[in-house]
Amino acid sequence: QVQLVESGGGLVQAGGSLRLSCTASRSIFSRNAMGWYRQDPGKQRELVARIFTSGITNYADSVKGRFTISRDNAKNTVYLQMNSLKPEDTAVYYCNGVPPVINYWGQGTQVTVSS
């Protein structure tokens, strides 16, 4: 069964921090890479961070140095530590494989950063 469950979002002031969690079904988690995506209304979903099974990570330029992705293979869980948050980080955040599972996304978790 395909499953993605994101949590940890919320409302935070600029400069604050949040930690997102995502538990995935094994069929997704065992993929070569897992990623965190975000989407603002009216905009395309973008990949902000990914982590390979090897532990290698990549980040979008907009979050580099502020966000850290990690994974716990024993728990099929991927995390996103977000520090120094900015209002432009406001979005719904999703996790998925990289590339993502076709036509399947979890409910996402809303992150709102106030100025």
Short mmCIF file of all heavy atoms in Angstrom, two decimals, residues 6 9 12 18 20 34-50 59-69 80-98 100 105-113:
data_model
loop_
_atom_site.label_atom_id
_atom_site.label_comp_id
_atom_site.label_asym_id
_atom_site.label_seq_id
_atom_site.Cartn_x
_atom_site.Cartn_y
_atom_site.Cartn_z
N GLU A 6 2.68 13.39 6.18
CA GLU A 6 3.53 14.51 6.61
C GLU A 6 2.96 15.16 7.86
O GLU A 6 1.74 15.19 8.04
CB GLU A 6 3.63 15.57 5.50
CG GLU A 6 4.19 15.08 4.19
CD GLU A 6 3.13 14.66 3.19
OE1 GLU A 6 1.96 14.46 3.60
OE2 GLU A 6 3.44 14.52 1.99
N GLY A 9 4.15 20.92 10.47
CA GLY A 9 4.01 22.29 10.03
C GLY A 9 3.36 23.17 11.09
O GLY A 9 2.94 22.69 12.14
N VAL A 12 4.92 30.23 12.31
CA VAL A 12 6.14 30.63 13.00
C VAL A 12 6.55 32.02 12.51
O VAL A 12 6.24 32.39 11.37
CB VAL A 12 7.26 29.59 12.75
CG1 VAL A 12 7.65 29.53 11.29
CG2 VAL A 12 8.46 29.85 13.63
N LEU A 18 11.25 25.09 12.33
CA LEU A 18 10.28 24.01 12.38
C LEU A 18 10.97 22.73 11.93
O LEU A 18 11.93 22.78 11.15
CB LEU A 18 9.09 24.27 11.45
CG LEU A 18 8.04 25.29 11.89
CD1 LEU A 18 7.05 25.53 10.75
CD2 LEU A 18 7.30 24.82 13.13
N LEU A 20 9.86 19.17 10.13
CA LEU A 20 8.84 18.37 9.47
C LEU A 20 9.22 16.90 9.49
O LEU A 20 10.41 16.56 9.42
CB LEU A 20 8.64 18.83 8.03
CG LEU A 20 8.39 20.32 7.80
CD1 LEU A 20 8.13 20.56 6.32
CD2 LEU A 20 7.25 20.82 8.65
N MET A 34 14.62 10.17 -1.44
CA MET A 34 13.40 10.78 -0.91
C MET A 34 13.59 12.29 -0.93
O MET A 34 14.72 12.78 -0.77
CB MET A 34 13.13 10.32 0.52
CG MET A 34 12.68 8.88 0.63
SD MET A 34 11.03 8.62 -0.06
CE MET A 34 10.01 9.61 1.04
N GLY A 35 12.48 13.00 -1.08
CA GLY A 35 12.61 14.44 -1.14
C GLY A 35 11.47 15.17 -0.45
O GLY A 35 10.42 14.60 -0.20
N TRP A 36 11.74 16.42 -0.14
CA TRP A 36 10.71 17.34 0.34
C TRP A 36 10.42 18.35 -0.77
O TRP A 36 11.34 18.92 -1.36
CB TRP A 36 11.16 18.08 1.60
CG TRP A 36 11.05 17.26 2.84
CD1 TRP A 36 12.02 16.54 3.46
CD2 TRP A 36 9.85 17.07 3.62
NE1 TRP A 36 11.52 15.91 4.57
CE2 TRP A 36 10.19 16.24 4.69
CE3 TRP A 36 8.55 17.54 3.52
CZ2 TRP A 36 9.26 15.85 5.66
CZ3 TRP A 36 7.63 17.15 4.47
CH2 TRP A 36 7.98 16.31 5.54
N TYR A 37 9.14 18.54 -1.03
CA TYR A 37 8.67 19.46 -2.02
C TYR A 37 7.81 20.51 -1.33
O TYR A 37 7.31 20.29 -0.24
CB TYR A 37 7.80 18.74 -3.06
CG TYR A 37 8.45 17.59 -3.78
CD1 TYR A 37 8.66 16.36 -3.13
CD2 TYR A 37 8.84 17.69 -5.11
CE1 TYR A 37 9.23 15.29 -3.80
CE2 TYR A 37 9.41 16.62 -5.79
CZ TYR A 37 9.60 15.42 -5.12
OH TYR A 37 10.17 14.35 -5.80
N ARG A 38 7.58 21.64 -2.00
CA ARG A 38 6.65 22.62 -1.46
C ARG A 38 5.88 23.25 -2.61
O ARG A 38 6.36 23.31 -3.74
CB ARG A 38 7.36 23.68 -0.62
CG ARG A 38 8.28 24.61 -1.38
CD ARG A 38 9.00 25.52 -0.41
NE ARG A 38 9.88 26.48 -1.09
CZ ARG A 38 10.75 27.26 -0.47
NH1 ARG A 38 10.85 27.23 0.87
NH2 ARG A 38 11.51 28.09 -1.16
N GLN A 39 4.68 23.73 -2.27
CA GLN A 39 3.83 24.35 -3.27
C GLN A 39 3.04 25.49 -2.67
O GLN A 39 2.37 25.33 -1.65
CB GLN A 39 2.87 23.32 -3.87
CG GLN A 39 2.06 23.84 -5.02
CD GLN A 39 1.27 22.74 -5.71
OE1 GLN A 39 0.94 21.72 -5.13
NE2 GLN A 39 0.97 22.95 -6.99
N ASP A 40 3.16 26.63 -3.33
CA ASP A 40 2.35 27.79 -3.00
C ASP A 40 1.15 27.78 -3.93
O ASP A 40 1.26 27.34 -5.07
CB ASP A 40 3.17 29.06 -3.25
CG ASP A 40 3.35 29.86 -2.01
OD1 ASP A 40 2.75 29.51 -0.98
OD2 ASP A 40 4.09 30.86 -2.05
N PRO A 41 0.00 28.30 -3.49
CA PRO A 41 -1.16 28.36 -4.40
C PRO A 41 -0.81 29.10 -5.68
O PRO A 41 -0.18 30.16 -5.64
CB PRO A 41 -2.19 29.13 -3.58
CG PRO A 41 -1.82 28.87 -2.16
CD PRO A 41 -0.33 28.79 -2.15
N GLY A 42 -1.18 28.55 -6.79
CA GLY A 42 -0.93 29.20 -8.07
C GLY A 42 0.46 28.96 -8.63
O GLY A 42 0.78 29.47 -9.70
N LYS A 43 1.27 28.24 -7.88
CA LYS A 43 2.63 27.97 -8.35
C LYS A 43 2.84 26.47 -8.51
O LYS A 43 2.10 25.66 -7.96
CB LYS A 43 3.65 28.53 -7.35
CG LYS A 43 3.65 30.03 -7.24
CD LYS A 43 4.76 30.49 -6.31
CE LYS A 43 4.78 31.99 -6.17
NZ LYS A 43 5.87 32.46 -5.25
N GLN A 44 3.87 26.14 -9.24
CA GLN A 44 4.20 24.73 -9.41
C GLN A 44 4.89 24.18 -8.17
O GLN A 44 5.57 24.90 -7.45
CB GLN A 44 5.13 24.57 -10.62
CG GLN A 44 4.41 24.56 -11.95
CD GLN A 44 5.29 24.01 -13.06
OE1 GLN A 44 6.50 24.12 -13.02
NE2 GLN A 44 4.68 23.43 -14.08
N ARG A 45 4.69 22.91 -7.93
CA ARG A 45 5.36 22.25 -6.83
C ARG A 45 6.85 22.19 -7.14
O ARG A 45 7.25 21.87 -8.27
CB ARG A 45 4.79 20.84 -6.65
CG ARG A 45 5.20 20.14 -5.39
CD ARG A 45 4.37 18.89 -5.21
NE ARG A 45 2.99 19.21 -4.86
CZ ARG A 45 1.97 18.38 -5.05
NH1 ARG A 45 2.16 17.20 -5.60
NH2 ARG A 45 0.76 18.74 -4.70
N GLU A 46 7.68 22.51 -6.15
CA GLU A 46 9.13 22.49 -6.38
C GLU A 46 9.82 21.59 -5.37
O GLU A 46 9.40 21.49 -4.21
CB GLU A 46 9.71 23.92 -6.27
CG GLU A 46 9.55 24.57 -4.92
CD GLU A 46 10.35 25.85 -4.76
OE1 GLU A 46 11.33 26.06 -5.51
OE2 GLU A 46 10.01 26.65 -3.88
N LEU A 47 10.89 20.96 -5.81
CA LEU A 47 11.70 20.12 -4.94
C LEU A 47 12.68 21.02 -4.19
O LEU A 47 13.44 21.77 -4.82
CB LEU A 47 12.46 19.10 -5.77
CG LEU A 47 13.43 18.18 -5.02
CD1 LEU A 47 12.68 17.27 -4.06
CD2 LEU A 47 14.24 17.35 -6.02
N VAL A 48 12.67 20.96 -2.85
CA VAL A 48 13.57 21.82 -2.09
C VAL A 48 14.75 21.05 -1.49
O VAL A 48 15.79 21.65 -1.22
CB VAL A 48 12.83 22.59 -0.97
CG1 VAL A 48 11.81 23.53 -1.56
CG2 VAL A 48 12.18 21.66 0.03
N ALA A 49 14.58 19.75 -1.27
CA ALA A 49 15.68 18.98 -0.70
C ALA A 49 15.48 17.51 -1.02
O ALA A 49 14.35 17.04 -1.08
CB ALA A 49 15.75 19.17 0.82
N ARG A 50 16.55 16.80 -1.20
CA ARG A 50 16.47 15.36 -1.43
C ARG A 50 17.64 14.67 -0.74
O ARG A 50 18.69 15.26 -0.55
CB ARG A 50 16.43 15.00 -2.90
CG ARG A 50 17.70 15.31 -3.66
CD ARG A 50 17.57 14.88 -5.11
NE ARG A 50 18.70 15.33 -5.90
CZ ARG A 50 18.84 15.10 -7.20
NH1 ARG A 50 17.92 14.42 -7.85
NH2 ARG A 50 19.89 15.54 -7.84
N TYR A 59 20.16 20.41 -2.15
CA TYR A 59 19.20 21.43 -1.76
C TYR A 59 18.99 22.45 -2.87
O TYR A 59 19.91 22.76 -3.63
CB TYR A 59 19.69 22.18 -0.50
CG TYR A 59 19.86 21.28 0.69
CD1 TYR A 59 21.08 20.68 0.96
CD2 TYR A 59 18.80 21.02 1.54
CE1 TYR A 59 21.25 19.84 2.06
CE2 TYR A 59 18.95 20.18 2.64
CZ TYR A 59 20.18 19.60 2.88
OH TYR A 59 20.32 18.77 3.97
N ALA A 60 17.78 22.99 -2.92
CA ALA A 60 17.54 24.12 -3.80
C ALA A 60 18.32 25.32 -3.26
O ALA A 60 18.53 25.45 -2.04
CB ALA A 60 16.05 24.45 -3.83
N ASP A 61 18.74 26.19 -4.16
CA ASP A 61 19.53 27.36 -3.74
C ASP A 61 18.79 28.20 -2.71
O ASP A 61 19.40 28.80 -1.82
CB ASP A 61 19.88 28.21 -4.96
CG ASP A 61 20.93 27.55 -5.84
OD1 ASP A 61 21.62 26.62 -5.36
OD2 ASP A 61 21.07 27.97 -7.00
N SER A 62 17.47 28.24 -2.82
CA SER A 62 16.67 29.11 -1.95
C SER A 62 16.69 28.65 -0.50
O SER A 62 16.36 29.44 0.40
CB SER A 62 15.23 29.17 -2.45
OG SER A 62 14.67 27.87 -2.52
N VAL A 63 17.05 27.40 -0.23
CA VAL A 63 17.02 26.90 1.16
C VAL A 63 18.38 26.42 1.63
O VAL A 63 18.54 26.05 2.80
CB VAL A 63 16.00 25.75 1.30
CG1 VAL A 63 14.63 26.17 0.80
CG2 VAL A 63 16.47 24.49 0.60
N LYS A 64 19.36 26.45 0.75
CA LYS A 64 20.70 25.95 1.10
C LYS A 64 21.25 26.72 2.29
O LYS A 64 21.17 27.95 2.35
CB LYS A 64 21.61 26.08 -0.12
CG LYS A 64 22.82 25.19 -0.10
CD LYS A 64 23.55 25.26 -1.44
CE LYS A 64 22.75 24.66 -2.56
NZ LYS A 64 23.48 24.65 -3.84
N GLY A 65 21.78 25.98 3.26
CA GLY A 65 22.34 26.59 4.45
C GLY A 65 21.34 26.83 5.55
O GLY A 65 21.70 27.14 6.69
N ARG A 66 20.04 26.68 5.25
CA ARG A 66 18.99 26.89 6.26
C ARG A 66 18.21 25.61 6.55
O ARG A 66 17.76 25.42 7.67
CB ARG A 66 18.02 27.97 5.77
CG ARG A 66 18.67 29.31 5.51
CD ARG A 66 17.63 30.39 5.20
NE ARG A 66 16.87 30.09 3.98
CZ ARG A 66 15.54 29.93 3.96
NH1 ARG A 66 14.83 30.03 5.07
NH2 ARG A 66 14.92 29.68 2.80
N PHE A 67 18.04 24.76 5.56
CA PHE A 67 17.28 23.52 5.71
C PHE A 67 18.23 22.33 5.72
O PHE A 67 19.26 22.33 5.03
CB PHE A 67 16.30 23.34 4.55
CG PHE A 67 15.13 24.30 4.53
CD1 PHE A 67 15.07 25.40 5.38
CD2 PHE A 67 14.07 24.08 3.67
CE1 PHE A 67 14.00 26.26 5.36
CE2 PHE A 67 12.98 24.94 3.63
CZ PHE A 67 12.95 26.04 4.47
N THR A 68 17.85 21.31 6.48
CA THR A 68 18.62 20.07 6.53
C THR A 68 17.67 18.89 6.43
O THR A 68 16.74 18.76 7.23
CB THR A 68 19.42 19.96 7.83
OG1 THR A 68 20.30 21.08 7.95
CG2 THR A 68 20.25 18.68 7.82
N ILE A 69 17.91 18.03 5.44
CA ILE A 69 17.10 16.83 5.27
C ILE A 69 17.85 15.65 5.86
O ILE A 69 19.08 15.57 5.78
CB ILE A 69 16.76 16.60 3.78
CG1 ILE A 69 15.75 15.46 3.62
CG2 ILE A 69 18.02 16.36 2.96
CD1 ILE A 69 15.21 15.32 2.19
N LEU A 80 12.75 17.15 7.76
CA LEU A 80 13.26 18.40 7.21
C LEU A 80 13.36 19.40 8.36
O LEU A 80 12.34 19.87 8.86
CB LEU A 80 12.38 18.95 6.10
CG LEU A 80 12.95 20.16 5.37
CD1 LEU A 80 14.20 19.77 4.57
CD2 LEU A 80 11.90 20.78 4.44
N GLN A 81 14.58 19.70 8.76
CA GLN A 81 14.81 20.73 9.77
C GLN A 81 14.93 22.06 9.05
O GLN A 81 15.80 22.22 8.18
CB GLN A 81 16.09 20.42 10.55
CG GLN A 81 16.44 21.48 11.58
CD GLN A 81 15.45 21.56 12.72
OE1 GLN A 81 15.01 20.54 13.24
NE2 GLN A 81 15.07 22.77 13.11
N MET A 82 14.07 22.99 9.40
CA MET A 82 14.04 24.29 8.74
C MET A 82 14.38 25.38 9.75
O MET A 82 13.65 25.57 10.73
CB MET A 82 12.66 24.54 8.13
CG MET A 82 12.20 23.42 7.20
SD MET A 82 10.67 23.81 6.35
CE MET A 82 9.54 23.91 7.73
N ASN A 83 15.49 26.05 9.51
CA ASN A 83 15.93 27.13 10.38
C ASN A 83 15.93 28.45 9.61
O ASN A 83 15.87 28.47 8.39
CB ASN A 83 17.34 26.85 10.91
CG ASN A 83 17.42 25.59 11.73
OD1 ASN A 83 16.46 25.21 12.41
ND2 ASN A 83 18.56 24.91 11.68
N SER A 84 16.00 29.55 10.36
CA SER A 84 16.04 30.89 9.75
C SER A 84 14.94 31.05 8.71
O SER A 84 15.17 31.51 7.59
CB SER A 84 17.42 31.14 9.11
OG SER A 84 18.45 31.00 10.06
N LEU A 85 13.75 30.67 9.08
CA LEU A 85 12.63 30.69 8.14
C LEU A 85 12.30 32.10 7.69
O LEU A 85 12.43 33.08 8.46
CB LEU A 85 11.41 30.03 8.77
CG LEU A 85 11.46 28.49 8.77
CD1 LEU A 85 10.49 27.92 9.79
CD2 LEU A 85 11.18 27.96 7.38
N LYS A 86 11.88 32.20 6.43
CA LYS A 86 11.53 33.47 5.82
C LYS A 86 10.07 33.42 5.36
O LYS A 86 9.55 32.33 5.09
CB LYS A 86 12.42 33.73 4.60
CG LYS A 86 13.91 33.70 4.89
CD LYS A 86 14.71 33.85 3.60
CE LYS A 86 16.20 33.82 3.87
NZ LYS A 86 16.99 33.97 2.61
N PRO A 87 9.42 34.57 5.22
CA PRO A 87 8.03 34.57 4.73
C PRO A 87 7.88 33.85 3.38
O PRO A 87 6.86 33.20 3.15
CB PRO A 87 7.71 36.05 4.60
CG PRO A 87 8.55 36.70 5.65
CD PRO A 87 9.83 35.92 5.65
N GLU A 88 8.89 33.91 2.55
CA GLU A 88 8.80 33.24 1.25
C GLU A 88 8.89 31.72 1.35
O GLU A 88 8.71 31.02 0.35
CB GLU A 88 9.88 33.76 0.29
CG GLU A 88 11.28 33.76 0.85
CD GLU A 88 11.68 35.12 1.40
OE1 GLU A 88 10.86 35.75 2.12
OE2 GLU A 88 12.83 35.55 1.13
N ASP A 89 9.15 31.20 2.54
CA ASP A 89 9.11 29.74 2.75
C ASP A 89 7.68 29.25 2.99
O ASP A 89 7.45 28.04 3.06
CB ASP A 89 9.97 29.35 3.95
CG ASP A 89 11.45 29.61 3.73
OD1 ASP A 89 11.93 29.34 2.61
OD2 ASP A 89 12.11 30.07 4.68
N THR A 90 6.74 30.17 3.11
CA THR A 90 5.35 29.80 3.32
C THR A 90 4.83 28.96 2.16
O THR A 90 4.95 29.37 1.00
CB THR A 90 4.48 31.05 3.49
OG1 THR A 90 4.87 31.73 4.69
CG2 THR A 90 3.00 30.68 3.58
N ALA A 91 4.30 27.78 2.47
CA ALA A 91 3.82 26.86 1.44
C ALA A 91 3.27 25.62 2.13
O ALA A 91 3.43 25.44 3.34
CB ALA A 91 4.95 26.47 0.49
N VAL A 92 2.66 24.75 1.33
CA VAL A 92 2.35 23.40 1.80
C VAL A 92 3.54 22.53 1.42
O VAL A 92 3.99 22.54 0.27
CB VAL A 92 1.05 22.86 1.17
CG1 VAL A 92 0.79 21.44 1.68
CG2 VAL A 92 -0.12 23.76 1.50
N TYR A 93 4.04 21.78 2.40
CA TYR A 93 5.21 20.94 2.20
C TYR A 93 4.78 19.48 2.09
O TYR A 93 3.97 18.99 2.88
CB TYR A 93 6.21 21.12 3.34
CG TYR A 93 6.97 22.41 3.24
CD1 TYR A 93 6.35 23.64 3.49
CD2 TYR A 93 8.32 22.42 2.89
CE1 TYR A 93 7.05 24.84 3.37
CE2 TYR A 93 9.04 23.62 2.79
CZ TYR A 93 8.39 24.82 3.02
OH TYR A 93 9.08 25.99 2.91
N TYR A 94 5.35 18.80 1.10
CA TYR A 94 5.06 17.40 0.83
C TYR A 94 6.36 16.60 0.77
O TYR A 94 7.40 17.14 0.37
CB TYR A 94 4.36 17.23 -0.52
CG TYR A 94 3.08 18.00 -0.71
CD1 TYR A 94 3.11 19.32 -1.15
CD2 TYR A 94 1.85 17.40 -0.48
CE1 TYR A 94 1.94 20.02 -1.35
CE2 TYR A 94 0.67 18.10 -0.67
CZ TYR A 94 0.73 19.41 -1.11
OH TYR A 94 -0.44 20.10 -1.31
N CYS A 95 6.27 15.34 1.10
CA CYS A 95 7.41 14.47 0.83
C CYS A 95 6.98 13.45 -0.21
O CYS A 95 5.79 13.18 -0.41
CB CYS A 95 7.92 13.78 2.09
SG CYS A 95 6.84 12.50 2.72
N ASN A 96 7.96 12.89 -0.90
CA ASN A 96 7.71 11.86 -1.90
C ASN A 96 9.05 11.33 -2.34
O ASN A 96 10.11 11.84 -1.96
CB ASN A 96 6.94 12.42 -3.10
CG ASN A 96 6.06 11.39 -3.78
OD1 ASN A 96 6.46 10.24 -3.92
ND2 ASN A 96 4.87 11.79 -4.18
N GLY A 97 9.01 10.29 -3.15
CA GLY A 97 10.25 9.84 -3.73
C GLY A 97 10.76 10.85 -4.75
O GLY A 97 10.05 11.78 -5.15
N VAL A 98 12.00 10.67 -5.16
CA VAL A 98 12.57 11.49 -6.22
C VAL A 98 13.08 10.55 -7.31
O VAL A 98 14.07 9.84 -7.07
CB VAL A 98 13.73 12.38 -5.71
CG1 VAL A 98 14.26 13.25 -6.85
CG2 VAL A 98 13.26 13.25 -4.55
N PRO A 100 8.97 11.58 -7.99
CA PRO A 100 7.82 11.25 -7.15
C PRO A 100 7.00 10.10 -7.71
O PRO A 100 7.04 9.83 -8.91
CB PRO A 100 7.00 12.54 -7.15
CG PRO A 100 7.39 13.24 -8.41
CD PRO A 100 8.83 12.89 -8.64
N TRP A 105 0.21 11.78 -3.87
CA TRP A 105 0.80 12.70 -2.90
C TRP A 105 0.03 12.58 -1.59
O TRP A 105 -1.16 12.30 -1.59
CB TRP A 105 0.73 14.15 -3.40
CG TRP A 105 1.60 14.39 -4.59
CD1 TRP A 105 1.27 14.23 -5.90
CD2 TRP A 105 2.97 14.80 -4.58
NE1 TRP A 105 2.35 14.52 -6.70
CE2 TRP A 105 3.40 14.87 -5.92
CE3 TRP A 105 3.89 15.11 -3.57
CZ2 TRP A 105 4.70 15.26 -6.28
CZ3 TRP A 105 5.18 15.48 -3.92
CH2 TRP A 105 5.58 15.56 -5.27
N GLY A 106 0.72 12.81 -0.50
CA GLY A 106 0.07 12.85 0.80
C GLY A 106 -0.71 14.15 0.95
O GLY A 106 -0.83 14.93 0.00
N GLN A 107 -1.20 14.40 2.16
CA GLN A 107 -2.01 15.60 2.39
C GLN A 107 -1.16 16.84 2.57
O GLN A 107 -1.65 17.96 2.46
CB GLN A 107 -2.91 15.40 3.62
CG GLN A 107 -2.24 15.67 4.97
CD GLN A 107 -1.23 14.61 5.39
OE1 GLN A 107 -1.13 13.55 4.77
NE2 GLN A 107 -0.51 14.89 6.47
N GLY A 108 0.13 16.65 2.82
CA GLY A 108 1.02 17.79 3.02
C GLY A 108 0.86 18.39 4.40
O GLY A 108 -0.05 18.04 5.16
N THR A 109 1.75 19.31 4.72
CA THR A 109 1.68 20.03 5.99
C THR A 109 1.95 21.51 5.72
O THR A 109 2.91 21.86 5.02
CB THR A 109 2.65 19.43 7.04
OG1 THR A 109 2.45 20.07 8.30
CG2 THR A 109 4.11 19.55 6.62
N GLN A 110 1.09 22.36 6.24
CA GLN A 110 1.16 23.80 5.96
C GLN A 110 2.23 24.46 6.84
O GLN A 110 2.23 24.29 8.06
CB GLN A 110 -0.19 24.46 6.22
CG GLN A 110 -0.19 25.98 6.08
CD GLN A 110 -0.04 26.43 4.63
OE1 GLN A 110 -0.75 25.92 3.75
NE2 GLN A 110 0.85 27.38 4.37
N VAL A 111 3.08 25.21 6.20
CA VAL A 111 4.07 26.03 6.90
C VAL A 111 3.77 27.49 6.56
O VAL A 111 3.72 27.86 5.38
CB VAL A 111 5.51 25.67 6.48
CG1 VAL A 111 6.50 26.68 7.05
CG2 VAL A 111 5.85 24.26 6.93
N THR A 112 3.55 28.29 7.59
CA THR A 112 3.28 29.70 7.40
C THR A 112 4.28 30.51 8.22
O THR A 112 4.39 30.31 9.44
CB THR A 112 1.85 30.07 7.84
OG1 THR A 112 0.91 29.26 7.11
CG2 THR A 112 1.56 31.53 7.58
N VAL A 113 5.01 31.39 7.54
CA VAL A 113 6.02 32.21 8.20
C VAL A 113 5.57 33.66 8.15
O VAL A 113 5.40 34.22 7.08
CB VAL A 113 7.39 32.05 7.54
CG1 VAL A 113 8.45 32.83 8.32
CG2 VAL A 113 7.78 30.58 7.44
#
